[in-house]
């Protein structure tokens, strides 16, 4: 909130509010695991993470294999989204944009 207020005070008063639709349902496991592995070379941690994101999901009483996505609302979900969306942060910074992001919600502030 402080960063958003700072941008407003600097004259960036036009705000584009973005919520990535179905982000948590669409996360590509291979991309996410690759990004994590670049930083965390621990095989046990990677195996645990794989099990977590591939855990079956119950829909109408039946278990379905999870082929993509991460469990929304789980304690690790914001961390995993931040790992994946850090690439978005780098691109927004490369373009010199003012932005504020938390998980899959972000805003771009303009003049």
């Amino acid at each position: 909130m402080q960063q958003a207020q700072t941008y407003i005070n600097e004259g960036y008063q036009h705000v584009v509010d973005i919520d990535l639709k179905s982000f948590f349902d669409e996360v590509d496991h291979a991309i996410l695991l690759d990004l994590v592995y670049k930083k965390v070379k621990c095989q046990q941690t990677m195996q645990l993470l794989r099990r977590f994101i591939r855990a079956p999901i119950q829909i109408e009483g039946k278990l379905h294999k999870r082929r993509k996505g991460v469990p929304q609302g789980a304690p690790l979900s914001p961390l995993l989204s931040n790992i994946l969306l850090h690439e978005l942060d780098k691109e927004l910074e490369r373009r010199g944009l003012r932005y504020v992001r938390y998980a899959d919600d972000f805003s771009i502030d303009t003049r």
Side-chain angles (χ1 to χ4, degrees):
M1 293 303 294
Q2 284 179 315
Q3 188 61 57
Q5 187 63 49
T6 298
Y7 290 152
I8 289 170
N9 292 339
E10 291 175 351
Y12 294 86
Q13 297 181 353
H14 297 281
V15 178
V16 179
D17 186 43
I18 302 167
D19 182 0
L20 299 174
K21 184 178 179 183
S22 302
F23 172 78
F24 289 97
D25 296 331
E26 298 297 324
V27 170
D28 184 305
H29 291 175
I31 293 170
L32 176 62
L33 291 169
D34 184 56
L35 289 170
V36 172
Y37 187 72
K38 287 178 181 177
K39 298 286 184 183
V40 179
K41 303 281 194 231
C42 175
Q43 290 301 322
Q44 290 95 347
T45 300
M46 294 303 298
Q47 184 178 24
L48 183 62
L49 180 57
R50 253 186 235 96
R51 287 181 181 170
F52 174 76
I53 64 175
R54 293 185 177 153
I57 186 169
Q58 187 171 352
I59 302 173
E60 297 180 6
K62 294 183 180 180
L63 289 178
H64 298 270
K65 290 182 179 179
R66 186 187 305 267
R67 305 226 185 266
K68 61 182 177 177
V70 295
Q72 188 170 1
L76 278 181
S77 296
L79 174 65
L80 296 176
S81 68
N82 282 332
I83 290 169
L84 190 57
L85 291 172
H86 180 67
E87 300 303 310
L88 171 64
D89 296 346
K90 291 191 299 190
E91 180 61 23
L92 293 172
E93 288 168 7
R94 187 186 72 73
R95 294 179 183 208
L97 296 171
R98 307 261 195 288
Y99 71 96
V100 177
R101 184 179 65 75
Y102 178 77
D104 65 330
D105 297 303
F106 66 103
S107 63
I108 298 174
D109 301 72
T110 65
R111 289 192 166 160

